[in-house]
Amino acid sequence: MPVESVNSVAYTSESPAARAARDFFTHSGHVPLVMLILEALLAKPGYFAGPDPYLLVIAGVFQAVVMELLAARGRPHPFAANLAGPALYSLIETALEGAHFFEQWHHQAYWGFALGFATLQWAQARWTKLAEPLVLAESVLRSAIPLVMYALFEARSKHTVYSLDLFFADRAHVFLAIVLLLLGVLLGFADINLRRSMKTVRALAARLRQYSEWSLGRNILERAMADERTLALQRVERAILFMDIRGFTAWSEQQAPEAVVGMLNSFYRGAEEALGEVRPIKLKYTADEIMAVFQDAADAVDAGRRMLASVHALLAESHLTAGAGVHCGQVVEGILGGEGAKAYDFIGDTVNTAQRLCDAATAGELLVSVSACNAAGIVPAQYRDVVAKGKRELLQAAVIA
């Protein structure tokens, strides 16, 4: 199972600043902070009065910001990003110290670690099948940071020529090296397991989001994710569109269940594709009936036209037709249900009226109520009276399509 790249393990809900801070503390700041401690212990009093320690921190932060900016644009470049910190630090320090800067071992070590991390992270992104051993190698390299810096500290503090043989002649140094590298291996395996778990969690979250979109609709889900209070029951102005198939019950009695399901799915797809850029607050499918809820009456009327035109040819193949109705007004909108089952729905006479107009529409007709026409800025040539079940008075509606 391939692991995720180093820049993809954060939750997408993190802010850019939070992702940059996380990268600084988990990666970009490691070498600069260890170098800062090394220089502080070796330097004469007054080290923190100079620019060196702050330039190291700035270099680490700069690298983290570059990592985040490249990742946010969908074009992560781990090789270049890992060199951003040492490049900035070297540029400024060289201007202050001259070429003598590159003669210092810990500065060379900074570039060495940067190139090592850059290569390993670039390889992880390029060869996903080798991601796990590369993550392990990266963890071992990270554990080598204090070991290498300690060796340099020993050499500088004792004024000796740096030599691996001399360093490892001390058994305490051998012990330290084994422990640190073993710790790197253990942390590497832990990192691999964490990335596997995160990949599973993200896949599950993506499926749950998809299921939630099917139930709530993308518009409502996005609002709920931003503020769950938007799911509470509230009275709002909405435009309601209904469309259903004429003669569906009689037709379905003569068909196999699989054929009925296949035709309905095609009917739903045709209606949804016809919406184009006009996105409803929610689409609801109930057998051969489609309900679409809009914030704007003009969008509801336009969607009704498009949907009827889109499904006409499909239904004609089965000798079926469709009709639609639009009405606007106040509804109660929000989560309804008991403890065991809940759904986001729309309740009110506005919904019932739109459904009655749909029922009264003949083949290919879109009946739009007076209030919906006024809200949409439509001036029809004439209205016709509609007898609606459950209504005491006749409804007036315009035939738009």
Side-chain angles (χ1 to χ4, degrees), residues 301 325-327 357 366-370 372-373 378 383 396-400:
V301 174
V326 173
H327 183 53
L357 290 173
L366 171 62
L367 294 183
V368 181
S369 68
V370 175
C373 284
I378 297 172
Y383 291 100
Q396 284 193 321
V399 180
I400 303 299

Side-chain angles (χ1 to χ4, degrees), residues 1 15 18 31 65 83 111 123 161 175 179 207 212 214 230 243 251 266 270 275 290 309 332 345 347 361 372:
M1 181 185 199
S15 67
V31 177
V65 170
L83 302 183
W111 274 100
V161 177
F175 170 78
V179 169
R207 287 200 299 270
S212 298
W214 291 342
T230 60
M243 180 175 75
W251 175 84
S266 297
L275 291 171
I290 298 176
V332 174
D345 215 337
I347 301 296

